[in-house]
Structure formats: C-alpha cells, structure tokens
Amino acid sequence: MPAATTPSRERAARSLNGYSMAALGAAALAAAVAGVLAQAVAANVAVLTAAAGLALLGLLVLAGLYMLLPNEAALLTLFGDYVGTDRRAGLRWANPLVRKRKLSLRARNLSGSTLKVNDKRGNPVEIGAVVVWHVRDTAQAAFDVDDFENYVGVQAEAAVRHLASAYAYDEGEDLAPGEHTLRGGLEAVSAALRAELQARFQAAGVEVLDAKLSHLAYAPEIAQVMLRRQQAEAIIGARHKIVQGAVSMVEDALRALSERNVVQLDDERRAAMVSNLLVVLCADRETQPVINTGTLYN
C-alpha cells in the first residue's frame, strides 16, 4: 500500500511593510536617475555603474510589492517550496523571487443543483442544499487537492446523496419512535449534513459555516400517489381525534345525567343515547332531528 500523504499545514510567512519598501525602491531609482544626469557629460564609469546598480536594486525592491485586501491571503512559494502564508491586509513586501498566489478567505455560497435520489424507504425524492463555506487552511486548499472549489462541489453533492439515503422523507409506522425524517427533522438533518460536509472538506482545508436543505419534494412520478397518502393519513388522524373527543363528551353527558338524577336510563336506552350522540358528534354532515311523539320506549 502507498504511504499516507502528510497533510499540509499553513504557517505564517515573513513579510515587510510595503510602504517603507516602496519608499526605499523609489529612493534608489531617484538616486540612480540623479547619478546618470550628473554624469551625463563627464561619463564617469564608476558613477554610472553605481547608478545602474541602484536602478536594479530599486526595480527589485518594487517587484517584491503586493497588495492584500481584507479576508485575502497570499501563499508564498520559492522555487516550488512553500514558504508561508501572509494574511496581513495592505501593501506588503516579500522576496521578489517568491511567487505570490492570492486566495480569498471570504465566505462563499454553494447552491447545489437539485438531485434525484432514493430515501431510506427507497422512494425517489428531489433534494437540494445550500452550503456556506470558507477556506480555513490555505496550504491544504492549495497543495493537498487539485482544485479545491471543484472538490467542494463534488463532495457536497456526494454528502447530500448520502444524507438522503439515511433518512425517510416523512414519518410512518415503519420508523422507530423519535426517528428524524427529512421533512420533519429539519434541524437534526441540517446538523448531520454539516457534520458530514465538514468531514469531507477536512482534506481541502475548508470549514463549513452553515448548510441547510433548499429543496425537498417527492419525485414527479410518485408525487401524486404520496399526496393522496398524506391526505388519507390526515383524514384518519382527524377522525381519530373527533372520535376521542366525542367519546369524552358522551361520558361527561352520561355522568352529569346520572349525578343530577335528571333521568334514569336502563342499559338499552343508555346504549341508544350513546349511539345517537356519537352519530351527531362524529357525522361530517348536519344531522336531522327526529321527534318522538310517543313515550321514551315506543
């Protein structure tokens, strides 16, 4: 097996204040120009040589200047060797032979495309996510992966696909009590997505700031079937609650009649009264009263 690659680690680079170095370079160029002008007639070789040296020094000093904006870093490499990373904003100066690669440290948004995957039950669903991230370790981002922006995009898609397969879209009798779903456990699902993304982005020196689902729906081919299923479950749940409430009301009515001795009912008439009250309370249409012109038993 090949040996494991040691992850790169960012270290601070040594750089100087760019304004003082710019002044030094400009002074060297000015001195060189003054020397050439002073010896334009006499043509003193020694003076002209010194002026040329000053001009070369001034150009080298100016060539080492670079500008950094807030939340921007510069990776310094010398002949392929990593020297360090400079995160100090403003005009800076480093060895002119050092290659300076700028890299943004600002937060970035990744709005992934809508993916079609199977949830825990095997039902096809459409899912999408928005990820907020930024570069935490510039050395890892630059040297440990080929293209860290493309790496983030590919790994984010893989994480969303894996997340969708680990959760059911909606609640059901086949799930354990308290088990989270994609639709009902948004906070838990978002936390799981952030954790998986962070684990996948670790190799690229990227930190996840936030991650949430931006789109969630059943795939079109089963959307209508699942909609009817949800409607049926809602109707069953509503009916169950109505029946529970009606039974409680009937119990209270019978108890109140018995305690106040309003009327004495035998088991048969009690059962009839219970039946009539349940019909009235549970019916989804208005009930029509029937007037009894005889006695209670006829």
Side-chain angles (χ1 to χ4, degrees):
M1 294 179 61
T5 304
T6 303
S8 303
R9 287 291 178 264
E10 179 182 320
R11 57 177 180 268
R14 298 181 59 185
S15 63
L16 301 177
N17 186 290
Y19 297 101
S20 59
M21 297 304 296
L24 178 62
L29 288 177
V33 172
V36 171
L37 293 177
Q39 299 298 322
V41 178
N44 189 316
V45 176
V47 175
L48 292 177
T49 302
L54 286 173
L56 180 60
L57 176 62
L59 292 175
L60 286 175
V61 170
L62 295 178
L65 295 173
Y66 59 94
M67 181 77 73
L68 287 180
L69 299 175
N71 287 321
E72 189 176 39
L75 285 91
L76 309 184
T77 55
L78 180 62
F79 303 120
D81 185 29
Y82 174 57
V83 176
T85 299
D86 188 4
R87 290 176 176 249
R88 287 165 289 189
L91 186 63
R92 308 299 302 171
W93 185 89
N95 186 341
L97 299 179
V98 169
R99 180 173 177 265
K100 306 159 185 78
R101 175 186 173 185
K102 294 184 179 180
L103 196 151
S104 175
L105 304 176
R106 300 180 183 91
R108 313 188 192 192
N109 284 320
L110 173 64
S111 181
S113 58
T114 300
L115 306 175
K116 186 176 179 180
V117 297
N118 292 335
D119 70 351
K120 185 178 180 179
R121 293 192 181 100
N123 297 323
V125 298
E126 293 182 346
I127 189 171
V130 173
V131 182
V132 183
W133 60 279
H134 76 137
V135 174
R136 176 185 51 80
D137 190 302
T138 57
Q140 283 186 286
F143 306 127
D144 287 3
V145 294
D146 185 43
D147 182 348
F148 71 91
E149 293 183 352
N150 181 65
Y151 180 90
V152 166
V154 173
Q155 293 300 321
E157 179 178 333
V160 172
R161 289 184 179 276
H162 181 263
L163 179 82
S165 64
Y167 292 89
Y169 179 89
D170 209 348
E171 298 178 356
E173 297 179 354
D174 57 328
L175 301 181
E179 183 175 349
H180 296 293
T181 62
L182 293 173
R183 195 167 72 95
L186 182 59
E187 293 300 327
V189 171
S190 298
L193 178 60
R194 286 193 296 270
E196 180 160 356
L197 288 171
Q198 188 59 64
R200 290 175 178 270
F201 292 172
Q202 191 70 28
V206 171
E207 181 180 4
V208 179
L209 301 178
D210 192 20
K212 293 187 182 299
L213 297 183
S214 60
H215 178 79
L216 181 64
Y218 279 114
E221 57 266 29
I222 67 167
Q224 292 299 324
V225 175
M226 290 302 176
L227 178 60
R228 288 196 294 270
R229 174 177 173 268
Q230 291 175 355
Q231 291 173 340
E233 291 178 348
I235 292 173
I236 293 172
R239 287 292 181 184
H240 183 265
K241 201 166 193 65
I242 290 172
V243 171
Q244 282 186 328
V247 170
S248 299
M249 294 172 67
V250 170
E251 288 178 348
D252 293 340
L254 292 175
R255 186 182 304 110
L257 290 173
S258 177
E259 292 175 352
R260 298 176 185 178
N261 292 321
V262 175
V263 63
Q264 296 296 328
L265 299 175
D266 58 17
D267 291 341
E268 181 181 354
R269 294 308 171 186
R270 184 185 296 269
M273 181 178 179
V274 170
S275 175
N276 292 335
L277 286 174
L278 287 177
V279 169
V280 171
L281 295 173
C282 298
D284 57 354
R285 296 183 180 87
E286 293 185 1
T287 57
Q288 298 295 328
V290 176
I291 299 176
N292 186 4
T293 58
T295 65
L296 183 63
Y297 293 93
N298 293 315

mmCIF file of all heavy atoms in Angstrom, residues 265-281:
data_model
loop_
_atom_site.group_PDB
_atom_site.id
_atom_site.type_symbol
_atom_site.label_atom_id
_atom_site.label_comp_id
_atom_site.label_asym_id
_atom_site.label_seq_id
_atom_site.Cartn_x
_atom_site.Cartn_y
_atom_site.Cartn_z
ATOM 1 N N LEU A 265 -81.936 5.856 33.040
ATOM 2 C CA LEU A 265 -81.882 5.093 31.789
ATOM 3 C C LEU A 265 -81.385 3.692 32.069
ATOM 4 O O LEU A 265 -80.422 3.495 32.835
ATOM 5 C CB LEU A 265 -80.932 5.773 30.793
ATOM 6 C CG LEU A 265 -81.279 7.211 30.353
ATOM 7 C CD1 LEU A 265 -80.173 7.775 29.474
ATOM 8 C CD2 LEU A 265 -82.601 7.233 29.616
ATOM 9 N N ASP A 266 -82.076 2.732 31.433
ATOM 10 C CA ASP A 266 -81.560 1.369 31.532
ATOM 11 C C ASP A 266 -80.453 1.186 30.499
ATOM 12 O O ASP A 266 -80.123 2.095 29.743
ATOM 13 C CB ASP A 266 -82.695 0.362 31.337
ATOM 14 C CG ASP A 266 -83.392 0.546 30.005
ATOM 15 O OD1 ASP A 266 -82.809 1.213 29.109
ATOM 16 O OD2 ASP A 266 -84.522 0.049 29.851
ATOM 17 N N ASP A 267 -79.877 0.002 30.457
ATOM 18 C CA ASP A 267 -78.743 -0.241 29.567
ATOM 19 C C ASP A 267 -79.118 -0.055 28.107
ATOM 20 O O ASP A 267 -78.330 0.473 27.307
ATOM 21 C CB ASP A 267 -78.203 -1.658 29.797
ATOM 22 C CG ASP A 267 -77.533 -1.791 31.163
ATOM 23 O OD1 ASP A 267 -77.170 -0.738 31.741
ATOM 24 O OD2 ASP A 267 -77.372 -2.931 31.635
ATOM 25 N N GLU A 268 -80.328 -0.495 27.751
ATOM 26 C CA GLU A 268 -80.736 -0.392 26.345
ATOM 27 C C GLU A 268 -80.862 1.066 25.934
ATOM 28 O O GLU A 268 -80.366 1.462 24.864
ATOM 29 C CB GLU A 268 -82.057 -1.126 26.138
ATOM 30 C CG GLU A 268 -82.548 -1.092 24.694
ATOM 31 C CD GLU A 268 -83.882 -1.810 24.513
ATOM 32 O OE1 GLU A 268 -84.372 -2.430 25.491
ATOM 33 O OE2 GLU A 268 -84.426 -1.727 23.389
ATOM 34 N N ARG A 269 -81.543 1.899 26.746
ATOM 35 C CA ARG A 269 -81.721 3.305 26.393
ATOM 36 C C ARG A 269 -80.407 4.082 26.515
ATOM 37 O O ARG A 269 -80.167 5.030 25.786
ATOM 38 C CB ARG A 269 -82.798 3.936 27.296
ATOM 39 C CG ARG A 269 -84.184 3.353 27.052
ATOM 40 C CD ARG A 269 -84.523 3.396 25.582
ATOM 41 N NE ARG A 269 -85.743 2.657 25.265
ATOM 42 C CZ ARG A 269 -86.184 2.459 24.038
ATOM 43 N NH1 ARG A 269 -85.475 2.910 23.013
ATOM 44 N NH2 ARG A 269 -87.292 1.774 23.818
ATOM 45 N N ARG A 270 -79.574 3.640 27.447
ATOM 46 C CA ARG A 270 -78.254 4.266 27.550
ATOM 47 C C ARG A 270 -77.445 4.024 26.266
ATOM 48 O O ARG A 270 -76.798 4.922 25.742
ATOM 49 C CB ARG A 270 -77.518 3.715 28.766
ATOM 50 C CG ARG A 270 -76.165 4.386 29.022
ATOM 51 C CD ARG A 270 -75.472 3.678 30.177
ATOM 52 N NE ARG A 270 -76.227 3.831 31.417
ATOM 53 C CZ ARG A 270 -76.022 4.815 32.275
ATOM 54 N NH1 ARG A 270 -75.088 5.723 32.028
ATOM 55 N NH2 ARG A 270 -76.737 4.902 33.373
ATOM 56 N N ALA A 271 -77.519 2.771 25.766
ATOM 57 C CA ALA A 271 -76.809 2.444 24.527
ATOM 58 C C ALA A 271 -77.366 3.234 23.351
ATOM 59 O O ALA A 271 -76.630 3.709 22.482
ATOM 60 C CB ALA A 271 -76.898 0.949 24.256
ATOM 61 N N ALA A 272 -78.696 3.405 23.314
ATOM 62 C CA ALA A 272 -79.302 4.184 22.232
ATOM 63 C C ALA A 272 -78.875 5.638 22.303
ATOM 64 O O ALA A 272 -78.590 6.280 21.277
ATOM 65 C CB ALA A 272 -80.824 4.066 22.307
ATOM 66 N N MET A 273 -78.836 6.166 23.515
ATOM 67 C CA MET A 273 -78.409 7.558 23.668
ATOM 68 C C MET A 273 -76.951 7.738 23.249
ATOM 69 O O MET A 273 -76.595 8.705 22.579
ATOM 70 C CB MET A 273 -78.593 7.983 25.129
ATOM 71 C CG MET A 273 -78.203 9.432 25.388
ATOM 72 S SD MET A 273 -78.500 9.909 27.104
ATOM 73 C CE MET A 273 -77.903 11.592 27.043
ATOM 74 N N VAL A 274 -76.123 6.803 23.653
ATOM 75 C CA VAL A 274 -74.713 6.866 23.256
ATOM 76 C C VAL A 274 -74.577 6.825 21.741
ATOM 77 O O VAL A 274 -73.829 7.589 21.129
ATOM 78 C CB VAL A 274 -73.915 5.724 23.912
ATOM 79 C CG1 VAL A 274 -72.517 5.631 23.306
ATOM 80 C CG2 VAL A 274 -73.826 5.927 25.410
ATOM 81 N N SER A 275 -75.333 5.933 21.113
ATOM 82 C CA SER A 275 -75.289 5.812 19.655
ATOM 83 C C SER A 275 -75.713 7.112 18.982
ATOM 84 O O SER A 275 -75.062 7.589 18.043
ATOM 85 C CB SER A 275 -76.171 4.656 19.201
ATOM 86 O OG SER A 275 -76.233 4.588 17.789
ATOM 87 N N ASN A 276 -76.820 7.692 19.467
ATOM 88 C CA ASN A 276 -77.314 8.931 18.862
ATOM 89 C C ASN A 276 -76.331 10.087 19.042
ATOM 90 O O ASN A 276 -76.091 10.874 18.121
ATOM 91 C CB ASN A 276 -78.673 9.296 19.466
ATOM 92 C CG ASN A 276 -79.759 8.313 19.066
ATOM 93 O OD1 ASN A 276 -79.657 7.656 18.026
ATOM 94 N ND2 ASN A 276 -80.786 8.196 19.888
ATOM 95 N N LEU A 277 -75.757 10.204 20.240
ATOM 96 C CA LEU A 277 -74.795 11.279 20.482
ATOM 97 C C LEU A 277 -73.541 11.125 19.623
ATOM 98 O O LEU A 277 -73.011 12.106 19.079
ATOM 99 C CB LEU A 277 -74.411 11.314 21.965
ATOM 100 C CG LEU A 277 -75.469 11.881 22.921
ATOM 101 C CD1 LEU A 277 -75.009 11.728 24.362
ATOM 102 C CD2 LEU A 277 -75.752 13.344 22.596
ATOM 103 N N LEU A 278 -73.070 9.896 19.486
ATOM 104 C CA LEU A 278 -71.878 9.675 18.661
ATOM 105 C C LEU A 278 -72.162 9.996 17.201
ATOM 106 O O LEU A 278 -71.311 10.537 16.488
ATOM 107 C CB LEU A 278 -71.393 8.229 18.806
ATOM 108 C CG LEU A 278 -70.729 7.885 20.145
ATOM 109 C CD1 LEU A 278 -70.365 6.413 20.187
ATOM 110 C CD2 LEU A 278 -69.479 8.736 20.359
ATOM 111 N N VAL A 279 -73.362 9.655 16.717
ATOM 112 C CA VAL A 279 -73.727 9.980 15.340
ATOM 113 C C VAL A 279 -73.734 11.485 15.138
ATOM 114 O O VAL A 279 -73.218 12.027 14.152
ATOM 115 C CB VAL A 279 -75.094 9.374 14.979
ATOM 116 C CG1 VAL A 279 -75.592 9.928 13.643
ATOM 117 C CG2 VAL A 279 -74.994 7.859 14.900
ATOM 118 N N VAL A 280 -74.325 12.206 16.108
ATOM 119 C CA VAL A 280 -74.400 13.661 15.992
ATOM 120 C C VAL A 280 -73.007 14.286 16.028
ATOM 121 O O VAL A 280 -72.680 15.177 15.244
ATOM 122 C CB VAL A 280 -75.290 14.234 17.110
ATOM 123 C CG1 VAL A 280 -75.202 15.760 17.138
ATOM 124 C CG2 VAL A 280 -76.729 13.787 16.921
ATOM 125 N N LEU A 281 -72.175 13.827 16.958
ATOM 126 C CA LEU A 281 -70.866 14.455 17.158
ATOM 127 C C LEU A 281 -69.846 14.066 16.093
ATOM 128 O O LEU A 281 -68.950 14.844 15.782
ATOM 129 C CB LEU A 281 -70.322 14.080 18.542
ATOM 130 C CG LEU A 281 -71.122 14.620 19.728
ATOM 131 C CD1 LEU A 281 -70.591 14.047 21.035
ATOM 132 C CD2 LEU A 281 -71.073 16.145 19.761
#
